[in-house]
Amino acid sequence: LQHMADQLPAEEQPLILPATPIQNLQVPHPVDRILALNLLNTSDQEGQTATLSWLLELGRQREGGPLVLTSAELYPAGGTRLSALLPPDFASRQPKAMAALLSAEEKLYHNPEDDRTSWTADSLCTAGRQAGWENVECRLEYITETREITRDDILRWLKPDNSGAVLARLLDDESRELVSGALLARIGDGGAAGKKAAAISLPWQMCFAVLLARAGDPAHPGAAAPRS
């Protein structure tokens, strides 16, 4: 995107923001369009509001006309979950383990104590309005790709002593063993007859919350600098 933007005349170039701290961002020319990726999805609502307020300040560099923002944020709660990778009959064979897994996933992907999962599309809209943006909306967009899931992936995700295996620690021992066994068996079924496969290719969905906002009068007094 940046390469394509650089081919446009300066007055027509959108501002493309990386998913990195932007406190020291230098804007070489006035902008009327801002494109961002994963700029807000690791902040709580207060941090999101501060960043969006700061972005609105960029509108002060130009005279008249609307300022338009499009920010795509990876939304973990809307993506593929481990429960979707289980064999289709797992829920009927192991209803207790399935219920435990679904409950654990809800706790993981809607954890109010974790800035990465404490927000929703609605709260992102609220942050935009609180920052002073107008015509704010947020929609969910989905991208599906084929991903190779290996035995090592399963063991890593469901090994309780792995520092990153949060889901594993939310499951009781019996449910964790049943889920792990079913997933490993499915990977084994993906190989040639009589052989155990090291991996299986499965559909994998990613979800992005796309924030769209405009400001008819870009000036917004009192905006704070974004928090790192």
Side-chain angles (χ1 to χ4, degrees), residues 6-162:
D6 290 342
Q7 312 307 309
L8 298 171
E11 66 275 8
E12 297 181 12
Q13 292 181 10
L15 176 63
I16 300 175
L17 297 178
T20 56
I22 57 174
Q23 290 90 337
N24 299 319
L25 178 69
Q26 299 296 316
V27 182
H29 54 79
V31 297
D32 61 1
R33 286 160 293 166
I34 300 172
L35 303 178
L37 175 64
N38 291 335
L39 193 66
L40 306 165
N41 66 353
T42 57
S43 299
D44 60 15
Q45 188 168 312
E46 181 182 353
Q48 291 174 345
T49 301
T51 298
L52 290 166
S53 296
W54 183 84
L55 291 178
L56 196 56
E57 287 288 280
L58 296 178
R60 287 183 168 180
Q61 301 181 31
R62 51 190 307 277
E63 297 180 0
L67 179 66
V68 179
L69 168 68
T70 303
S71 186
E73 309 295 331
L74 185 63
Y75 184 46
T80 292
R81 301 186 180 190
L82 202 62
S83 56
L85 307 181
L86 287 164
D89 63 346
F90 182 82
S92 60
R93 290 189 293 106
Q94 302 292 348
K96 182 180 176 181
M98 188 63 168
L101 177 58
L102 294 176
S103 176
E105 288 176 334
E106 282 301 301
K107 292 176 182 177
L108 175 64
Y109 290 112
H110 295 287
N111 180 4
E113 303 301 321
D114 186 341
D115 290 345
R116 295 169 299 176
T117 58
S118 63
W119 59 276
T120 65
D122 288 340
S123 68
L124 198 58
C125 280
T126 298
R129 295 187 186 101
Q130 289 178 342
W133 289 88
E134 306 162 5
N135 302 319
V136 179
E137 64 175 288
C138 190
R139 62 177 182 233
L140 300 181
E141 299 286 349
Y142 298 89
I143 298 174
T144 301
E145 61 184 17
T146 299
R147 183 169 295 188
E148 188 175 78
I149 308 299
T150 68
R151 300 177 75 87
D152 287 343
D153 289 331
I154 301 303
L155 295 173
R156 185 177 68 255
W157 293 338
L158 291 172
K159 189 176 181 181
D161 57 355
N162 183 345

